[in-house]
Amino acid sequence: MKKIFQWPLALCCLVLFSQSCKKDYYVDGGKANPIYNGTIYDYLTEKTMYFDTIKAIVDLAGMKDMMTKDTITFFAPSDDVIRDAMNLVNLNRFIAGKDSVKISDIGQEVWRKFLGMYVMKGKHTAGTFPRVSYNNINAFPGINYVMLDGYILNIGLEYTTYNGVEAVGPRILYVTDITFDPTNFRNNPRVRVVSSDIQPKNGVVHVLSIQHNFGFRTDDFLRIALDYLNSKD
């Protein structure tokens, strides 16, 4: 598994938008074939550049069978998101005078709790989600979905403006954590899907932007991970 606790050396990214060293997923959807001849777990295993650490967390969380056999939709965070979360955990442990940790030092129940936020039962391609408009949420509210272990996220397609004409531009899939403030979407953390409708044999993978905090709110994962680690020290 790749080391995730050291900043990578500068490299030439294939993606035009990547002037930093983080990986990104801006791709030309074009007429690319969305069908993947394997399971979701196989897909994560093959795409080591993006999901090496995510695949390892799937194993640690005891979710391999689910990613292999069950029909699910996976809103996949990238390895960079986990790296940032673990760097924050280790920074806090350093400040407290404690040793740094690896992902394998964090318990199964923690990884299951947070990775489960990104899994829906059933197959849901982007076009099956309703419209959401953050400027007119009363008219276009998206819809709330119950994720794997009961966590509720709002998911919807934003219809963008093109050449000054409203709602005729590209449609962008967003996932919003409404638990922070159920009354005001603008206060809630949300993440954009940057590559949608990848379709392995047992479901769908939507890849999330690297501009995202694991678990949607940094403090949540940090607090629970530190509590677990402190209980083992």
Side-chain angles (χ1 to χ4, degrees):
M1 187 179 69
K2 299 191 297 295
K3 294 180 180 179
I4 63 174
F5 308 116
Q6 298 178 355
W7 294 104
L9 295 176
L11 51 86
C12 179
C13 297
L14 294 177
V15 180
L16 260 152
F17 299 89
S18 291
Q19 294 182 358
S20 71
C21 295
K22 287 189 175 183
K23 295 173 286 190
D24 216 330
Y25 301 94
Y26 292 92
V27 294
D28 178 5
K31 295 183 179 179
N33 182 4
I35 304 302
Y36 176 77
N37 187 27
T39 67
I40 292 175
Y41 188 82
D42 293 335
Y43 180 79
L44 300 176
T45 301
E46 179 180 316
K47 305 300 181 181
T48 56
M49 180 178 177
Y50 308 126
F51 302 119
D52 186 36
T53 306
I54 294 296
K55 182 259 185 183
I57 290 174
V58 168
D59 292 337
L60 291 169
M63 297 171 69
K64 177 180 178 180
D65 281 352
M66 177 185 301
M67 297 281 181
T68 303
K69 300 175 182 178
D70 295 352
T71 300
I72 61 172
T73 299
F74 183 36
F75 291 87
S78 70
D79 284 357
D80 291 298
V81 171
I82 305 300
R83 181 201 62 192
D84 290 347
M86 290 301 299
N87 282 346
L88 190 56
V89 168
N90 281 321
L91 173 61
N92 277 263
R93 286 182 63 83
F94 174 78
I95 293 171
K98 298 182 177 182
D99 291 337
S100 63
V101 295
K102 307 181 295 295
I103 62 170
S104 57
D105 295 318
I106 296 177
Q108 178 182 24
E109 63 269 29
V110 177
W111 290 124
R112 165 74 188 219
K113 172 183 175 66
F114 283 92
L115 203 60
M117 295 179 179
Y118 299 89
V119 177
M120 296 175 64
K121 294 181 179 180
K123 181 176 180 177
H124 303 270
T125 57
T128 65
F129 294 107
R131 182 178 176 183
V132 65
S133 173
Y134 299 103
N135 294 319
N136 191 3
I137 204 68
N138 290 326
F140 304 108
I143 194 168
N144 295 343
Y145 291 87
V146 180
M147 308 306 282
L148 181 65
D149 293 326
Y151 203 78
I152 298 176
L153 297 174
N154 183 278
I155 305 175
L157 284 167
E158 183 179 53
Y159 293 21
T160 63
T161 298
Y162 180 73
N163 280 346
V165 181
E166 183 180 352
V168 299
R171 298 179 181 181
I172 302 172
L173 188 59
Y174 278 96
V175 182
T176 302
D177 178 3
I178 65 165
T179 61
F180 182 71
D181 183 355
T183 65
N184 189 340
F185 271 56
R186 292 183 181 276
N187 292 339
N188 290 299
R190 64 178 180 263
V191 57
R192 180 167 57 95
V193 170
V194 294
S195 186
S196 65
D197 290 357
I198 301 158
Q199 297 178 52
K201 292 180 178 179
N202 64 316
V204 182
V205 176
H206 302 295
V207 181
L208 301 179
S209 169
I210 62 173
Q211 304 301 319
H212 174 55
N213 295 317
F214 187 58
F216 290 87
R217 286 172 283 172
T218 303
D219 290 348
D220 282 358
F221 177 75
L222 177 63
R223 173 177 52 81
I224 292 175
L226 288 176
D227 284 348
Y228 175 86
L229 293 166
N230 290 338
S231 73
K232 303 298 179 181
D233 286 342

